[in-house]
């Protein structure tokens, strides 16, 4: 079965780009200009959106010290919302999706921020919903530790209820600008919320005009059963990881079934699978490139440091040439830990890291061969697209160009991805196919 058109998005961090390589901007991208260039390239290539990940701490999970985290520029990490605003201001169709945590943003503040930036972005703003997964983040906000994983999702469910009511507190036609009566907004169409729940309360209404999309495009990464159900209930697009076509299909089918159980149309929730395509002019050249990356001790330490940061499991304690213990658990990002461990039963930690050049399935080859693989994979899975991310170290111009000017044209020639945008608003483009 041939694949129909699918969506492309990009996953990045507002961190130092490839500062010690030949193709970065020098590792000082804090004015946002480098990432604005990236956004323009992604828009030119027809990407639906860019997700900007976030963490609210400098991790010391790897080896009990911040040394490796800072050495490999996993931190510093700057706030994604101003960067998303800047990216949106300098583009016209690309969706921008910063990460904000339900554990640390007061609901009214987040609802107001989303409405404000959606106006600035002309209806192209999204919110990557996280509950956060690190005790170190909680300690930056006056808590000893994070709430338990399941409770965090209970809280997030109520959080979405209150922010949705706040977004809806202004009716679409509340702004009348009636010169005859001197009325800017009709007070009968702006409503108090008076929300009182188990965890949150808010009087409302928002003091911002209803945004162009009504609410931002909602993005979420649901891996655990609780996370999947939350994502299926609320998300317009989901970040997913699958280690095989069968696993990816099973995940998407499960999400669609859960969405239908929540009274939603399954096609209104787009599941995008995280991948890191690696391309070059010949198969020999690309295999040599991958071998250089995965055999580099700095690359291995970088991968394990980053994995420690998001799971709060200290991977420095394990022998690289032995399999990981099967009973590893975490109150952090369970999905990330499970996806990493499921890459190969009985494989050593070094081998698992070697597989980590591409999250999920391997997409390594020439632009044409990788485009064929992506088309075949989507046909087998059923949809809806891919979320691309840089495979090693910081993001760099060379990798962006290899994708936007090498891989994407190969996908477009096959009719697999868009060549132009059909709509102005982010959600409309997401639902176009």
């Amino acid at each position: 079965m041939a694949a129909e058109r699918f969506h492309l998005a990009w996953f990045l961090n507002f961190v130092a780009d490839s500062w010690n390589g030949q193709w970065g901007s020098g590792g000082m991208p804090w004015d946002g200009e480098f990432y604005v260039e990236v956004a323009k390239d992604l828009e030119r290539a027809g990407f639906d959106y860019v997700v900007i990940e976030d963490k609210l701490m400098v991790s010391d999970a790897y080896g009990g010290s911040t040394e490796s985290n800072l050495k490999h520029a996993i931190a510093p990490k700057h706030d994604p919302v101003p960067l998303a605003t800047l990216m949106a201001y300098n583009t016209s169709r690309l969706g921008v999706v910063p990460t904000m945590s339900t554990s640390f943003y007061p609901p009214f503040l987040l609802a107001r921020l989303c409405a404000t930036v959606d106006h600035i972005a002309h209806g192209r703003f999204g919110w990557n919903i996280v509950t956060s997964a690190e005790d170190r983040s909680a300690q930056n906000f006056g808590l000893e530790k994070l709430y338990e994983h399941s409770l965090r999702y209970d809280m997030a469910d109520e959080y979405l209820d209150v922010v949705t009511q706040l977004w809806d507190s202004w009716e679409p036609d509340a702004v009348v600008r009636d010169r005859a009566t001197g009325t800017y907004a009709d007070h009968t169409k702006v409503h108090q919320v008076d929300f009182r729940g188990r965890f949150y309360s808010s009087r409302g209404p928002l003091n911002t005009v209803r945004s162009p999309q009504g609410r931002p495009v909602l993005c979420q990464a649901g891996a655990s059963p609780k996370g999947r159900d939350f994502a299926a209930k609320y998300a317009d697009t989901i970040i997913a990881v699958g280690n095989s076509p069968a696993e990816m299909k099973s995940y998407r089918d499960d999400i669609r079934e859960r969405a239908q159980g929540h009274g939603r149309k399954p096609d209104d929730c787009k599941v995008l699978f995280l991948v890191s395509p690696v391309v070059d002019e010949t198969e020999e050249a690309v295999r040599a490139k991958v071998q250089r990356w995965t055999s580099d001790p700095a690359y291995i330490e970088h991968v394990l440091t980053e994995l420690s940061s998001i799971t709060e499991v200290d991977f420095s304690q394990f022998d690289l040439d032995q399999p990981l213990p099967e009973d590893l658990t975490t109150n952090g990002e369970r999905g990330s830990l499970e996806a990493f461990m499921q890459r190969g039963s009985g494989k050593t930690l070094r081998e698992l890291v070697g597989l980590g050049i591409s999250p999920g399935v391997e997409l390594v080859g020439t632009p044409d061969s990788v485009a064929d693989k992506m088309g075949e994979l989507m046909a087998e899975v059923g949809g809806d697209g891919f979320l691309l991310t840089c495979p090693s170290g910081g993001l760099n111009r060379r990798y962006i160009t290899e994708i936007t000017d090498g891989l994407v044209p190969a996908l477009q020639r096959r009719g697999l991805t868009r060549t132009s945008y059909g709509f102005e608003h982010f959600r409309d483009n997401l639902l176009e196919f």
Side-chain angles (χ1 to χ4, degrees):
M1 182 177 70
E4 298 180 354
R5 278 195 302 172
F6 53 77
H7 298 271
L8 294 177
W10 197 280
F11 186 91
L12 60 79
N13 293 269
F14 192 5
V15 296
D17 58 306
S18 188
W19 62 275
N20 60 348
Q22 297 179 337
W23 303 99
S25 69
M28 294 295 287
W30 311 120
D31 61 2
E33 290 184 7
F34 170 74
Y35 287 109
V36 166
E37 291 177 22
V38 170
K40 290 179 178 179
D41 286 339
L42 297 179
E43 183 169 81
R44 180 170 52 82
F47 278 67
D48 280 75
Y49 62 90
V50 55
V51 178
I52 312 172
E53 191 270 352
D54 196 24
K55 290 289 183 290
L56 296 163
M57 48 89 201
V58 177
S59 177
D60 60 357
Y62 187 84
S65 167
T66 61
E67 179 183 359
S68 187
N69 197 269
L70 292 164
K71 172 184 175 182
H72 293 289
I74 296 167
K77 181 175 294 190
H78 284 209
D79 193 300
V81 180
L83 179 62
T85 308
L86 188 64
M87 285 175 153
Y89 190 77
N90 285 277
T91 54
S92 64
R93 291 294 181 271
L94 182 73
V96 293
V97 189
T99 300
M100 293 178 281
S101 173
T102 59
S103 294
F104 305 121
Y105 276 79
F108 187 93
L109 178 66
L110 182 137
R112 185 173 185 251
L113 182 60
C114 288
T116 299
V117 183
D118 198 40
H119 278 286
I120 294 172
H122 298 288
R124 292 181 291 117
F125 189 69
W127 167 30
N128 182 34
I129 306 165
V130 298
T131 64
S132 291
E134 312 86 21
D135 288 338
R136 286 291 182 262
S137 293
Q139 289 158 13
N140 285 333
F141 291 85
L143 303 173
E144 283 300 314
K145 59 187 296 185
L146 279 177
Y147 301 108
E148 190 274 328
H149 181 272
S150 182
L151 179 59
R152 295 202 302 271
Y153 274 106
D154 290 340
M155 296 174 72
D157 193 70
E158 185 174 292
Y159 192 107
L160 265 291
D161 190 2
V162 63
V163 296
T164 300
Q165 290 190 40
L166 287 166
W167 288 322
D168 289 341
S169 63
W170 285 65
E171 295 182 24
D173 58 349
V175 175
V176 294
R177 290 186 292 180
D178 188 336
R179 290 180 179 271
T181 63
T183 301
Y184 184 80
D186 182 348
H187 75 285
T188 68
K189 296 183 178 182
V190 180
H191 309 287
Q192 280 186 213
V193 171
D194 292 325
F195 184 97
R196 290 194 175 276
R198 178 183 171 194
F199 306 107
Y200 305 104
S201 63
S202 184
R203 175 182 180 273
L206 279 184
N207 61 343
T208 50
V209 172
R210 185 179 178 88
S211 74
Q213 297 183 109
R215 61 176 175 83
V217 169
L218 301 179
C219 175
Q220 215 262 330
S224 66
K226 194 96 173 182
R228 290 187 187 202
D229 202 60
F230 180 86
K233 183 177 180 180
Y234 293 109
D236 299 296
T237 183
I238 293 176
I239 300 169
V241 177
N243 289 312
S244 69
E247 190 176 310
M248 293 163 73
K249 185 178 188 311
S250 174
Y251 179 92
R252 181 174 181 267
D253 289 347
D254 180 54
I255 288 292
R256 290 171 65 82
E257 184 178 342
R258 290 173 186 265
Q260 197 160 17
H262 286 294
R264 301 183 63 194
K265 296 178 182 177
D267 287 340
D268 287 352
C269 182
K270 305 299 183 184
V271 179
L272 270 60
F273 290 94
L274 196 64
V275 294
S276 291
V278 184
V279 298
D280 213 317
E281 292 184 4
T282 66
E283 294 288 342
E284 293 75 16
V286 76
R287 293 293 169 185
K289 182 191 295 187
V290 170
Q291 177 61 28
R292 286 196 305 273
W293 284 342
T294 56
S295 62
D296 183 354
Y299 170 80
I300 295 172
E301 187 177 76
H302 184 126
V303 170
L304 293 179
T305 301
E306 191 154 24
L307 191 62
S308 294
S309 176
I310 62 177
T311 63
E312 297 216 312
V313 173
D314 180 7
F315 281 90
S316 72
Q317 66 183 301
F318 302 120
D319 188 331
L320 284 172
D321 296 307
Q322 294 294 325
L324 286 170
E326 294 183 359
D327 59 350
L328 277 184
T329 60
T330 181
N331 192 37
E333 291 190 13
R334 291 181 183 175
S336 297
L337 179 61
E338 291 169 2
F340 182 75
M341 293 181 67
Q342 289 171 2
R343 289 179 179 180
S345 177
K347 284 186 166 57
T348 68
L349 180 55
R350 190 187 304 276
E351 289 170 331
L352 290 177
V353 172
L355 295 172
I357 195 69
S358 180
V361 297
E362 182 183 80
L363 295 170
V364 177
T366 65
D368 283 319
S369 70
V370 171
D372 285 337
K373 291 176 188 175
M374 292 173 75
E376 292 163 4
L377 187 56
M378 273 297 103
E380 188 171 349
V381 172
D384 298 293
F386 296 100
L387 182 68
L388 280 64
T389 191
C390 188
S392 67
L395 185 64
N396 61 70
R397 290 186 174 95
R398 178 174 180 171
Y399 185 71
I400 288 286
T401 301
E402 287 172 339
I403 299 301
T404 59
D405 295 85
L407 177 59
V408 171
L411 292 168
Q412 291 171 334
R413 287 193 297 270
R414 289 159 174 77
L416 294 173
T417 60
R418 67 159 52 94
T419 56
S420 62
Y421 296 90
F423 302 94
E424 179 181 352
H425 289 173
F426 178 7
R427 182 175 284 103
D428 293 336
N429 282 315
L430 196 61
L431 294 176
E432 183 180 7
F433 50 86

